[in-house]
Structure formats: structure tokens, C-alpha cells
Amino acid sequence: MKGGRVLAPATVIAPSGRLVRHLKHAAAHRFPEGLFGVRFANLFQFALDLAGDAGGRFVPDVLFYERLLLRWLESPGERPFAGEDVRTYDLAGALHAAIRDMKDAAVPCDPELLIDALRVATGDPGSRLSALDLRKFGALLAAYQHYEGELRRLGVADRSDIFRAAAGRARHAVGPLLVYGFYDMTQVQADLVTELVRAIPVTLLVPRGADRETWRFGDWLCAAVPVDAAEPLPSPAPPPTPEVHTAAGERDEVWLCAKRVRRLLDAGCRPEEIAVVARTLDPYLAPLAALFGEHRIPCDAPPGRALLDHPLAQAILGLFRAALDDLPRAPTLDVVGHPLFRGPADRRHWDLLARSLRIGRGDDWSRLDAHARRGFRIAAGRETADDRRSIVVPPAAVRALRAAIRRVRHALPAADAGWGGHATAHLETLRRCFRLDMLLDEEAQVVEAVRDVLATLAGLDALGETIPRAAFVEAFERECRRRRLGAPAPRGVAVLDAMAARGLPFRHVFLLGLNARVFPRFIVEEPFISDAVRREVFRVLGHHLPVRLDAYDEERLLFHLMRSAPAEGLVCLYQRADADGRLRDPSPFLRPFLPLAREAIDAIPRSDRAKRGRGEIATPRELLRAAPDASAALAAFGFDALAYDRARAFLAALDGEREVSAFEGRVGPLAPEWMARSIGRLSPTRLERFATCPFRYFAEEVLRVLPADEVVEGEDLSPREIGKLMHALLERLYSRLAARDFHPDHLAAELARAAADVAAEFERQAHLPLRGVLRARFAEIVRAVEAFAAFDLATLGDWEPVWFEERATVPFAELVLGGQLDRIDRHRRTGALRVVDYKRRFGVHWQTALATQARRGEKLQAPLYLRLAPAVAARHGVAGAVATQAVFQFVEDYLRGDPAVDEIREERLVRAFTAEESDACRDDVEQAVATFASFIRNGWFFIHVADGQGGHCARCDFGSICRKNYGRLRRKPERMPALTRYWEIVRP
Ligand code: SF4
């Protein structure tokens, strides 16, 4: 190339940085004594150096151009493609891509000329342009014209401008020049090469092959670039025959790939000689990182993690957004709770504190002030007589959270500013709020990336605009979404997408994901410039606008390049089904290499055991899993063998034994302190819980596990709080009405007073003002109570409510059972007692007769209440009274209709259980209670599953820990003779 002049300068140009690197290595290998004066560059680097002044005006950040177009979309006047709700960065980004296509094709920015030319062309019988195509194209040209005008006004050059400027200065280039490896170019790139050919000696090395079908893509380039005499090079050796495997899901593809690569490395192949290629790498990055790590394969893979996936990046974005979004609770807590956020070390209870105070956003945070001096007590148990667990948040912790929230609120100035001003303020805030002096490696990368994004945004100052902070943060987030966390230094096996792998030779190539619609990818037309317009622009005006659907030709060429890249081995993998079992088709490119009988293709099995049977190389982890004595193997490798033994024993008990084991609820008699919890203070509600599901009883009453969502999310009242408020209101109301002889005329006034008292008491106890959603919910409770009381007062007759919220205990089946009665009525003439129990709503489980449910142990309240009521009366000096009925009132259902009018509904409002019914089932009920008590004493806490429609599992909070979905576990208790009595009671 240098014509014997060793010291003469020369330049080699390639399409990509990776190919440049490859050429440098190849040259160093071929000329070990060194090459003097040879420069390697990609085409854009070369153009940038040649472009003169324009190079200094180049702005690389895509955001700059998107912002420019977004301003146009948002400017007054009707904009094409842009309704009020779609003037977004996404639309600006799509417009920019279409305009870039036109500039790359050197389409002149003269709408009238272009449209006229195309309109004339529509008269041509060969033209396939429609009027709609022309209208859409015309609309886009308006954006193009604005874009060009703005770039000129701001003195900015984009990539296409650089190529054009370089073409204009081609005579300043220093030759000779070798242009290597391009099978396609944009029009402006081709124009540059054409000018270079005219000015200096240029050698073009263009990949071409004999097969017309394969090499159709890029035909236009050969015609566009002048060549004196094409000189074919010797054909390379034919590529190896592909070895085809099929897998289910990406992970299994990567699994085989890892095994084979490991084997090649062990056989002495250098990592750089191996490539793993997929059309799109994204779905493979996670399994590649995991399995290549496990197989100790060094690899040169793109960074798998997006910047905004990192918690620190999210916290920084949250800090910038918080005040704009009025300090929403969860994102703001993520910011102030981040370990690098400056604040006290102990932030354990901040989240619980904010949720307990029902802080939603904005001024809600001032609720912290009320507890800054005394701290805050959070109920952490069920607030029953024997479970009053609580967490006390000390005043210092409350004050620290308040201070942190203030810091976030005032972290950034609210005023409009230029891009640079905002960027400086945000950077300063980042420094002030986060400890940047103690970052781990990856956190340092995050902060570096954020600084870089801020610097990019500061560059938008060239637009000379003043913007609100919200616009700045929106652009910040968009730019962050483009970034990925630091690429590792290139080393090892190349992991590439097909575009990046073009032109690179290897010894062995693994081609992943050879499925239909993946490779070739599924291609759709571009929305702004249809393929018909693109073809016409080329046909009529000679500007090469790439036709989208022609990209199928490029896909075919790409596959050919991948197939011919390896010198020794090519392994092709496709998915017969995805990881969820959905069937998938192989790529049409693979068809020539597939045997007619699909069974002849090697299918990678799904199960680990079957994979082990293939005799592939095994990793230490796989050896451990397969070891006959895994415990000893684990101990030998230094792992926790004890935990493994325990887990294994557990699984063996589940799978092997026929009886309920210690892992499945047979805990045996408990130690005294636990026994006090399990059998002490038995109540009908607790026994009902045992009848429903012994494991649930164990979790709730013995272990006292709280459901995960016990602390309410959002601002609404929790179901427990609603129940407590309703009971308190009814008690207060009926106590007041007693002084008015329960006359309905006094209902409205007394209800208003009772409601005011209850609301004030709630606010005092919960430290929470009843405002907004809470106030609306409370008003709903008051309305339900009013509807119920109106009906109740009208139908009281001779019954007189006398005692409210009374506790009592009675002997029952050789036990002492206790309970709390909502209300006891006394008959004015007979002196008989009636128990009234308030429930919120009627449910399907109330449909079965109460006596039947009492026999099954499902509803024991009624028979027990009939015994407790006389004990309460005796305490009040009324001896010998008899309770004749227990009545359950479904208070909220009274809001849904008028029971006086709608008689059919009445049974959904009230359920009654009489003394006669109680006598008839007394023996059965006592036996059920005694049996349950005996099971509890002996430590039987197995699961009782009812997960069909209306089954009790639907109302249980422990479904995520009871493992009821494991078939053997749910069947064993039902088959065990020792538990027969339980099933006879609950399922007679
Ligand atoms: S989900 Fe069903 S089986 Fe599981 S603990 Fe709850 S009631 Fe028992």
C-alpha cells in the first residue's frame, strides 16, 4: 500500500471500533518488527479529524437534538404528529431518528422542491406513492427544516454534517488510504469516500461473495463508489458445518454454550479465539453472567446492568424528583433511607413510623412534629389482652426523619434556570446530601455516570433557554435511562451481538437464539417515512434512503457473515420452546442445516438430572449437587453442611414419611412458656381458628406471626381500625340512648355527639387527624351505624339494651373459656337475656345453620355467649337470668337497603341462635371443644386446606408460609389415624 516508502504515512479505515482493534492486532502479528506511520481509525474518527472547523462544532449527545425537536413540538401552533399528550421525548426521539435518516441520505432540506419532485413522480406508472405518503412526508419535512435552521443558528454540527464537511475537505486528506470491511454505507459516508477516491490513492476492500441472493444487500454501494477495476481476492476456506442443538429457554442455550467453551479453554484454545453471538444480547446477559461465572470463563461481555437499576442511581433520581412530586412517601423514604444519604446511622423504624402516621405526601410529613418531643409508640401486636407488643420510636429518631425530609424538600432551588445552572445546583445537592467519600467500586461508577449525565445536560446551555426544574429532571431521567454501568476491560471470550461481530474472524463461534422473528428480526416500516417514499427518493432524486424492509436482506447477509466467521467450529442453538414452555420455530436461515427428522437434532434436556446424564464437564457446584454424600462434600468445600442437613431432613420428611412429621405441624407438647400461649386464655374465637386450620392457629396464636401487610399502606383505615371504631361508636351511642329510653327521635343528635367523642378519642390515641380519606371512611361508618340503629330502635319492642362490652369467663367442657360480649339486652317483662354481637358484613360462611357450624367448631361464639350472659348479669346483681338467644347483626349491610321493605334480604342482616338450638347441640359442641383442647395440648398444628371458592384459605394471611400447595403436605394429615377425630368434627 505504501509502494515501498516505509516511512510514508497511511491510514486504514474500518466500520467499527472492534474491527479497528482486530486490524491492529492482525497487523502487529503480521509485522512483529512494527509498522511505521500507519494509522487505524473508524470512519467517523477519520471524518472528524478531516472536517476542520466543523469538528469543533460537533455535539455528540443525542439528547441535545431531541431537546431541540421537543421545543419545536411544544412551541405554539399546530404541530404534526403531536397532540397535547404526545409532546414527549419519545416522540422527539422518533422524529430525530427519521431526520437523521434523511440527513444521512443527504436529502436537501427544501420541502417544496422535494414534494414537487415526488408529486411529479406519482404520475409515473412505476411509482407506488400515495397521497397519504406525501402528506406524512411533507409534515416531517417541516420538522426537518426547523431542525436544520436551529443547527445553523446555534452553529452546531451533527454526525451527517461532519461527513459532509470532511467530503468538502477531502483534498486535505493524507494518503494512501485503505477502506476495509464496509458492505454498506450511508449516502454521506459514500460521498466522503467518493471525494477521497478523487483526491488521494484509496484502496477499497469490500466484502463480496458469489451468491447473488446473499450479497444483494449493499449493491447500491458498489455502484455509488467509483472503482477502477475490481480485483477479487482469493476465496477463504469453506466454513465448518454447523452443529445444531435445541433448547428450552435462553438459560439452557447458555448452559450448553458454557460447557463447550469451558472444554475448548481446557483444551488450550485462547479465550480471544472464541465468540458467543446472538442477534440481540439482552435476554442472554443475565444467564451469561451467571453461568460463565460459574464455569470460570473470562469474557468480554457488554455491561449487563442499566444505570437506573442500581439503588444508588434510583436514590439520586429520587432526591432530584422528590420535591417536584411533593415528597411521596415511598420514593422519599428510599432517598433518606439510603445508607449513603447523610443522616443518623439508625433509621430502622422510619418506614414503619411514616406508614403508621399515614403519611402520603406533602404536608402529611408535618405529622412528625407532634411526636418530636415524646417519640411514637407503634402497636406491633394484635392489641388483644395477651398481645400488646409495641415498638417505641424514640424522639431523636422522629426528629432525625423530620430533618431528613426537610433537607430533601429544600435541597434544590425551585426557580427556573439555564441547563448549566440546574446542572451545577443538582451536582452540588448530590455532594451535600450523599457521602461521596466512602463509595464502593460500583457506587463510584454510578456517581461518575451521574456526573457525566449532568455534564451532558449542562452542554444543552448552547440552546440558550431558561427551563423549569421539572424539564431538567425529565431530561436527566431520559439520559440516565440510556446509560449502562461501566463496561469491563476487554478480555476473554467475545460476547457480541451480530452487528458488532460483523467482519471479525474467530476459531470457534456459538450462535445463540436462531429462532424465527429473532434472527431475522421482525422488521416494520418506519412511521414517518414509508418505504414507498424511501424508494421514490432514491429513484427520483438519487439519495439513498435505506428501505426498512430491505433490512431482511441485511439479516441474511449477517447470518452468512456469522456462519463464515469461525475457522474451526460453529455451534448453532435455537429454542424449541421458551422457558415457559411456549413452542417456538427455528430461524428460516437454519433450515438448510436441519435434518429432516427433528428427533435427530440434539435436544438439551430441561431437568438437571438429565443434563448430568449427558456427560458434560461439571462445575464444583454441580458436583456438589450430584455427590452421593453431599453433606461431606459441602463440609470439604467449606460450606454450611449443617444447614444443608437440616434442609435435606425436612425434604426427606415431606417426601418419605407417611405421617405428619415435626416439619409439618407435629410439634408435640410445648415448653411451659409456649404452652401458656397455646392453651392459656382460650376463647371461642381462638377455638374457631383452630377448627378452621390448626397451622393458622399455631402461626397466629402461638408464634404470633403478624401478616406482612399488617401496617396499612396508603391513607385508608385498616379493617381492624374500622371494626374498633364501629364497636366504639355503637357502645357510645347506646350508652347515650339509654338515658333517652332508646327513643328513635333522639338518634340523630346522640349519634352526632357519640361520633364526635369517638373521633376525638381516635385522633388522640392514633395521633392522626381524621381528614381527607380517613374522614370519608369514618363518615361511612357513622352512616352504617345510623342505618342499623334506626332499624334496631324501631324493632326493640320489650328488649332493653343494658350492658355493653362486658367480659366474663365460664367453665366449658372442663376448660375455662372467656369472651367479650358487645351488648346484652334484657326483656322488660320476662327478664330473659339476649346477646347482640356486631359483625361488619355478612359472608358466605354465615349461610350454614349456626347449630351445624357450632357442632363443627366453626362458630362457637353463640353457644358460649348464651352461657356468658348470665355470668355478666350475676355480676351486676341479677341472679338466675337465662339467655334465650344470641343475635348477630351485620351492621354495614344495613346501608345497602331498607330491611323493612326488602324482607328477603333480612336474613343477610341478622342471624339468630336460640337456647333450644344450643341445648340440642350442647354435647357435640362440648366434645368438639374438648377434642380441640386436647390436640392443642399435644402440639398438633397441621394444615387444613380449603382453597376452593369461599374456602377459609381465601381469608387467611398465612398462605405464603404454610406450603399448602405441596400436595403430599396437604394430604398427609387427612390420612393419619391419630387425626381422624379432628376431621370427623370439622368435616362430619
Ligand atoms: S392458607 Fe389455608 S392451609 Fe394455609 S394456613 Fe391459612 S388456612 Fe391454613
Side-chain angles (χ1 to χ4, degrees):
M1 180 172 128
K2 290 190 179 190
R5 292 175 298 134
V6 178
L7 298 182
T11 307
V12 179
I13 295 175
S16 67
R18 207 172 262 276
L19 208 48
V20 167
R21 209 166 75 206
H22 164 72
L23 291 175
K24 281 181 182 172
H25 284 156
H29 190 67
R30 170 73 179 76
F31 303 102
E33 68 279 11
L35 274 175
F36 189 82
V38 179
R39 180 185 167 220
F40 293 85
N42 69 38
L43 186 55
F44 182 71
Q45 280 170 344
F46 175 82
L48 197 60
D49 292 345
L50 184 60
D53 285 352
R57 291 185 282 116
F58 173 60
V59 175
D61 306 310
V62 175
L63 188 70
F64 176 89
Y65 304 104
E66 290 177 350
R67 175 71 199 165
L68 203 143
L69 285 164
L70 184 61
R71 283 201 317 175
W72 177 72
L73 289 169
E74 289 177 343
S75 60
E78 197 167 317
R79 298 288 166 229
F81 330 111
E84 278 295 318
D85 53 338
V86 289
R87 295 180 180 194
T88 60
Y89 272 104
D90 284 341
L91 177 61
L95 266 179
H96 178 233
I99 289 172
R100 205 174 45 203
D101 270 3
M102 289 207 284
K103 283 201 75 172
D104 282 349
V107 175
C109 178
D110 187 339
E112 280 170 23
L113 192 103
L114 268 171
I115 293 292
D116 282 351
L118 291 175
R119 201 167 276 139
V120 169
T122 49
D124 186 334
S127 169
R128 295 170 65 187
L129 274 186
S130 70
L132 177 66
D133 287 330
L134 280 183
R135 240 192 350 264
K136 269 179 19 186
F137 191 52
L140 176 67
L141 288 174
Y144 184 20
Q145 199 172 30
H146 169 85
Y147 176 87
E148 280 293 77
E150 282 296 278
L151 290 199
R152 262 200 309 278
R153 184 178 70 78
L154 297 167
V156 166
D158 66 6
R159 284 179 77 91
S160 309
D161 292 330
I162 295 300
F163 283 116
R164 289 160 82 165
R169 291 171 49 82
R171 64 185 182 285
H172 297 289
V174 179
L177 198 66
L178 190 141
V179 180
Y180 173 91
F182 289 86
Y183 63 78
D184 187 31
M185 281 183 182
T186 63
Q187 180 75 58
V188 286
Q189 288 172 334
D191 290 348
L192 168 61
V193 173
T194 305
E195 292 304 318
L196 289 169
V197 168
R198 287 188 187 128
I200 54 173
V202 176
T203 307
L204 275 170
L205 282 175
V206 182
R208 299 297 288 173
D211 181 10
R212 280 285 309 137
E213 173 93 354
T214 301
W215 290 95
R216 190 164 56 207
F217 188 76
D219 261 358
W220 83 277
L221 182 64
C222 295
V225 179
V227 265
D228 289 341
E231 193 180 317
L233 295 176
S235 301
T241 308
E243 181 189 321
V244 182
H245 303 265
T246 164
E250 288 86 4
R251 194 178 171 86
D252 280 359
E253 286 184 80
V254 175
W255 176 84
L256 184 85
C257 190
K259 299 287 173 202
R260 295 299 172 86
V261 170
R262 186 65 258 172
R263 197 186 289 168
L264 288 171
L265 295 177
D266 291 348
C269 184
R270 287 187 300 124
E272 300 77 23
E273 295 175 321
I274 304 171
V276 176
V277 182
R279 182 66 185 88
T280 311
L281 273 179
D282 283 352
Y284 293 97
L285 287 176
L288 276 167
L291 288 167
F292 274 35
E294 189 180 329
H295 288 77
R296 303 280 190 275
I297 297 173
C299 70
D300 172 12
R305 197 166 184 194
L307 171 61
L308 279 185
D309 284 348
H310 196 283
L312 177 58
Q314 284 175 3
I316 293 171
L317 177 63
L319 172 67
F320 293 171
R321 287 215 68 91
L324 294 171
D325 295 345
D326 202 16
L327 302 169
R329 186 186 66 213
T332 308
L333 283 172
D334 285 347
V335 175
V336 298
H338 194 281
L340 290 170
F341 188 82
R342 291 181 196 277
D346 183 4
R347 308 171 197 183
R348 275 172 302 168
H349 301 314
W350 282 7
D351 183 65
L352 196 58
L353 177 61
R355 286 196 290 150
S356 300
L357 287 171
R358 305 294 205 292
I359 291 170
R361 60 176 62 230
D363 286 343
D364 293 354
W365 290 102
S366 63
R367 288 178 199 159
L368 290 166
D369 295 339
H371 312 286
R373 293 179 57 199
R374 309 256 293 271
F376 188 71
R377 176 188 167 274
I378 301 168
R382 288 191 176 73
E383 294 190 272
T384 55
D386 51 358
D387 185 8
R388 296 219 171 275
R389 287 172 291 167
S390 67
I391 293 167
V392 176
V393 184
V398 180
R399 285 198 297 273
L401 174 57
R402 186 72 178 116
I405 297 299
R406 278 207 191 94
R407 192 170 330 131
V408 172
R409 185 190 288 277
H410 302 297
L412 285 152
D416 294 0
W419 288 92
H422 278 308
T424 309
H426 283 71
L427 190 58
E428 183 50 36
T429 298
L430 178 61
R431 279 199 207 104
R432 236 185 12 253
C433 292
F434 284 90
R435 290 195 195 95
L436 302 184
D437 50 344
M438 45 195 301
L439 302 174
L440 302 175
D441 284 354
E442 203 176 48
E443 289 165 344
Q445 282 183 25
V446 170
V447 172
E448 205 40 56
V450 168
R451 281 201 181 109
D452 194 52
V453 170
L454 289 173
T456 298
L457 296 185
L460 298 186
D461 247 353
L463 293 170
E465 56 181 344
T466 300
I467 49 158
R469 201 170 74 79
F472 179 86
V473 175
E474 187 190 358
F476 174 81
E477 185 171 350
R478 181 168 180 87
E479 190 60 21
C480 281
R481 291 205 183 283
R482 280 194 238 273
R483 310 285 175 118
R484 300 189 85 84
L485 277 181
R491 67 194 163 82
V493 174
V495 176
L496 303 165
D497 65 52
M499 293 299 275
R502 288 172 301 177
L504 297 173
F506 296 95
R507 266 178 78 187
H508 297 272
V509 169
F510 293 81
L511 258 179
L512 307 180
L514 286 171
N515 280 93
R517 289 184 157 233
V518 177
F519 200 171
R521 67 196 162 92
F522 183 63
I523 298 164
V524 288
E525 285 195 42
E526 202 256 345
F528 296 108
I529 319 173
S530 69
D531 276 359
V533 170
R534 288 166 181 268
R535 283 201 182 90
E536 286 305 275
V537 168
F538 186 48
R539 190 175 72 87
V540 178
L541 304 170
H543 297 281
H544 180 250
L545 255 179
V547 174
R548 286 299 158 106
L549 293 183
D550 284 356
Y552 280 114
D553 291 338
E554 185 178 21
E555 296 289 302
R556 188 179 299 107
L557 178 55
L558 264 183
F559 178 76
H560 172 79
L561 293 175
M562 297 305 106
R563 169 160 156 51
S564 49
E568 290 182 22
L570 174 63
V571 176
C572 294
L573 291 118
Y574 75 90
Q575 293 178 30
R576 58 184 181 275
D578 65 14
D580 296 326
R582 284 183 292 261
L583 293 180
R584 303 188 63 183
D585 288 327
S587 162
F589 298 152
L590 206 50
R591 263 184 219 135
F593 310 106
L594 293 178
L596 280 180
R598 287 287 158 91
E599 303 77 52
I601 304 169
D602 173 49
I604 302 162
R606 290 228 68 185
S607 82
D608 284 352
R609 187 173 299 176
K611 282 191 183 106
R612 277 202 295 275
R614 289 170 59 97
E616 299 283 357
I617 205 164
T619 63
R621 182 192 288 242
E622 288 165 337
L623 284 175
L624 277 174
R625 274 199 224 122
D629 185 351
S631 177
L634 276 169
F637 277 101
F639 294 113
D640 185 354
L642 191 63
Y644 171 80
D645 288 341
R646 257 196 240 120
R648 202 176 163 86
F650 161 67
L651 289 173
L654 288 194
D655 287 336
E657 293 179 17
R658 302 179 69 83
E659 301 207 326
V660 173
S661 71
F663 295 107
E664 296 154 305
R666 186 184 192 172
V667 300
L670 295 167
E673 61 272 25
W674 290 99
M675 193 66 98
R677 282 192 189 184
S678 70
I679 196 82
R681 286 174 180 265
L682 273 187
S683 67
T685 317
R686 295 184 67 188
L687 285 165
E688 286 171 10
R689 203 163 280 151
F690 186 84
T692 309
C693 175
F695 178 78
R696 182 179 169 188
Y697 178 90
F698 184 62
E700 211 164 337
E701 303 294 340
V702 184
L703 299 180
R704 292 183 181 165
V705 177
L706 282 181
D709 57 352
E710 188 76 340
V711 177
V712 285
E713 284 294 338
E715 292 193 57
D716 203 351
L717 292 170
S718 69
R720 184 142 50 108
E721 285 169 327
I722 293 174
K724 276 174 73 176
L725 280 169
M726 198 178 76
H727 276 77
L729 187 56
L730 281 160
E731 183 197 353
R732 202 62 71 97
L733 173 66
Y734 276 78
S735 302
R736 286 180 161 280
L737 287 171
R740 307 279 184 178
D741 200 22
F742 297 104
H743 200 287
D745 288 351
H746 297 290
L747 174 59
E750 295 303 342
L751 180 64
R753 288 187 195 108
D757 288 353
V758 170
E761 194 174 304
F762 175 83
E763 289 181 334
R764 201 170 50 250
Q765 284 178 357
H767 307 283
L768 196 63
L770 277 175
R771 283 201 307 253
V773 176
L774 300 185
R775 171 60 66 188
R777 178 68 69 188
F778 184 66
E780 203 172 89
I781 296 169
V782 174
R783 279 205 311 281
V785 166
E786 184 175 21
F788 159 72
F791 173 76
D792 189 37
L793 294 181
T795 54
L796 267 182
D798 285 334
W799 290 107
E800 179 190 11
V802 282
W803 299 299
F804 308 100
E805 302 295 337
E806 292 278 351
R807 286 197 139 270
T809 53
V810 286
F812 196 103
E814 298 177 18
L815 294 164
V816 176
L817 297 189
Q820 180 158 333
L821 308 182
D822 292 342
R823 184 179 117 191
I824 301 174
D825 296 353
R826 193 161 166 226
H827 202 274
R828 291 180 209 267
R829 286 184 288 109
T830 63
L833 303 177
R834 174 176 83 167
V835 181
V836 178
D837 195 69
Y838 303 127
K839 301 289 179 201
R840 283 187 61 194
R841 278 185 225 120
F842 183 86
V844 280
H845 50 288
W846 284 97
Q847 274 169 351
T848 312
L850 289 179
T852 307
Q853 296 206 58
R855 283 194 182 93
R856 291 180 192 161
E858 287 171 7
K859 293 224 182 294
L860 293 169
Q861 282 180 324
L864 188 79
Y865 286 172
L866 292 179
R867 294 203 202 179
L868 287 174
V872 173
R875 202 166 59 218
H876 286 277
V878 181
V882 176
T884 56
Q885 56 179 313
V887 178
F888 296 90
Q889 296 280 5
F890 303 98
V891 178
E892 288 185 359
D893 288 330
Y894 278 84
L895 256 189
R896 295 158 211 244
D898 181 352
V901 177
D902 190 357
E903 278 186 24
I904 302 163
R905 292 171 49 87
E906 195 165 326
E907 68 157 13
R908 299 178 65 89
L909 301 173
V910 187
R911 296 302 313 271
F913 182 74
T914 64
E916 292 76 33
E917 287 175 291
S918 178
D919 289 344
C921 65
R922 171 186 294 262
D923 290 349
D924 291 340
V925 172
E926 290 198 355
Q927 271 187 29
V929 169
T931 307
F932 292 163
S934 142
F935 276 122
I936 294 171
R937 258 191 224 102
N938 292 325
W940 284 101
F941 301 112
F942 48 93
I943 60 169
H944 170 187
V945 184
D947 49 5
Q949 199 178 10
H952 56 243
C953 290
R955 301 187 302 278
C956 175
D957 294 314
F958 301 96
S960 56
I961 58 169
C962 71
R963 300 188 303 266
K964 69 182 161 67
N965 294 329
Y966 191 60
R968 293 180 69 92
L969 182 57
R970 60 198 285 166
R971 284 193 296 274
K972 273 190 207 176
E974 297 174 9
R975 293 175 183 170
M976 215 176 143
L979 306 181
T980 307
R981 186 69 195 116
Y982 173 83
W983 298 112
E984 284 173 355
I985 294 171
V986 300
R987 286 189 204 153

